[in-house]
Amino acid sequence: MKSLHKVLDVIETVAREGNIGIRELSARLGFPPATTHRITSTLVERRYLKQDPVSKRLSLSIQFLELGTRVQQHFSLTAIARPHLENLLAEAHESVNLAVQDGDYMAYLDHIRSDRSMLQLFTKPGARVPLYCTGVGKMLLSRWPSSQVEAYLDRTPLTRHTAHTLVDREKLFHELAQIRTRGYSVDNQEMEEGVRCVAALIADHRGEPAGVVSISGAAMRIAPQRIRFFARSVMNCSQAISKDLGFKTGTKGQRDKVTKC
């Protein structure tokens, strides 16, 4: 942990100074020159710092701008999506969620709990869940090319969380094909027994996945015969959020998919 603190001290000092030489940085932090050189060399190699080829002075790289932009996008998405999530809650009377990809997981950014819900759902903000066994995760996977899904499955143990969890690759690929066709996904008690979720994709201005919105609640209320109702509601919500993000629906947009429900 001491090494990690030293790395952060280096980054914060470079950020504060704007640009700084290695000797000056070492003196400022009280680190041995060899330690400072080792840390900065790694940060330059990983593109978090850049070093002027002539003066050898260090400064932060654009990598931090890229990371900051991602964080800002997530906060912007939450603010844009919130009123639409509230409308969805009023229409569906079930808990609603907003999630984004976080590596091989989905992370929940926002959750509005329904007054009807007596369950402690796994969809609370900050929670991370697998892609293969959740509505929000399968919705994202359905947009990936087969080769990317195969690579994901090669590195991900398909753990059975409930008796309903899909742990067979062929069945999962069939499920993803169905999701692509109908435009929404269903977590049929695959992550938690007694909980069913319906999810739809949010697109950004380029038509790329920006997040996923979902409805979650007791399986007895989100019953199979009511899936189409919840699907239409959640897809209308995702379409409205996408529109606010600058996505323009066309002949292959979400509006056409909504009519298929």
Side-chain angles (χ1 to χ4, degrees):
M1 290 301 293
K2 289 183 178 179
S3 297
L4 178 58
H5 281 293
K6 289 180 179 179
V7 172
L8 294 175
D9 286 341
V10 167
I11 292 172
E12 290 174 355
T13 301
V14 174
R16 186 166 53 249
E17 296 299 322
N19 66 81
I20 189 172
I22 292 180
R23 288 185 179 180
E24 184 183 353
L25 178 63
S26 181
R28 188 73 58 87
L29 293 171
F31 296 166
T35 299
T36 306
H37 185 269
R38 184 174 63 252
I39 293 173
T40 56
S41 295
T42 301
L43 290 172
V44 169
E45 181 182 350
R46 291 293 300 272
R47 298 187 299 110
Y48 285 97
L49 294 182
K50 60 181 181 179
Q51 188 171 35
D52 186 278
V54 178
S55 69
K56 304 300 182 182
R57 295 178 72 82
L58 299 162
S59 59
L60 297 186
S61 77
I62 197 171
Q63 180 89 332
F64 284 98
L65 178 60
E66 294 173 356
L67 293 174
T69 299
R70 292 181 187 177
V71 173
Q72 185 180 39
Q73 287 173 342
H74 287 172
F75 279 111
S76 298
L77 176 60
T78 303
I80 290 171
R82 197 20 122 108
H84 298 292
L85 295 180
E86 292 172 350
N87 290 339
L88 180 59
L89 173 68
E91 180 179 343
H93 302 291
E94 296 292 347
S95 298
V96 298
N97 318 286
L98 175 68
V100 294
Q101 182 183 359
D102 183 12
D104 283 345
Y105 296 84
M106 293 296 285
Y108 288 97
L109 295 183
D110 201 359
H111 167 78
I112 310 178
R113 183 176 178 179
S114 168
D115 291 338
R116 299 174 59 184
S117 178
M118 302 298 291
L119 299 171
Q120 291 295 327
L121 299 173
F122 56 84
T123 56
K124 60 184 179 180
R128 297 166 75 243
V129 293
L131 300 179
Y132 71 92
C133 59
T134 57
V136 292
K138 289 191 295 180
M139 187 69 248
L140 182 70
L141 283 178
S142 72
R143 289 293 303 269
W144 289 8
S146 297
S147 59
Q148 190 174 348
V149 178
E150 288 280 10
Y152 161 74
L153 294 176
D154 285 343
R155 62 180 181 266
T156 304
L158 299 184
T159 304
R160 188 180 293 280
H161 295 275
T162 75
H164 306 279
T165 308
L166 292 177
V167 294
D168 181 272
R169 284 197 182 202
E170 186 175 343
K171 291 181 179 179
L172 181 58
F173 268 102
H174 178 69
E175 172 78 2
L176 296 180
Q178 288 185 318
I179 294 169
R180 280 191 294 273
T181 299
R182 68 194 181 203
Y184 66 90
S185 63
V186 179
D187 167 2
N188 186 27
Q189 306 182 72
E190 296 160 54
M191 181 66 188
E192 186 173 337
E193 196 74 42
V195 177
R196 193 174 274 123
C197 301
V198 184
L201 189 77
I202 299 169
D204 64 15
H205 65 283
R206 301 165 300 174
E208 296 297 321
V212 180
V213 61
S214 70
I215 295 171
S216 56
M220 63 181 180
R221 289 199 305 271
I222 305 181
Q225 62 270 24
R226 298 197 68 207
I227 292 295
R228 290 163 71 89
F229 161 74
F230 289 112
R232 178 172 277 107
S233 297
V234 77
M235 291 173 73
N236 280 333
C237 178
S238 68
Q239 180 186 353
I241 298 171
S242 299
K243 183 178 179 180
D244 281 357
L245 290 175
F247 176 62
K248 297 180 180 179
T249 56
T251 55
K252 295 183 179 180
Q254 292 179 354
R255 183 181 301 276
D256 294 326
K257 292 179 179 179
V258 169
T259 61
K260 294 179 181 179
C261 294

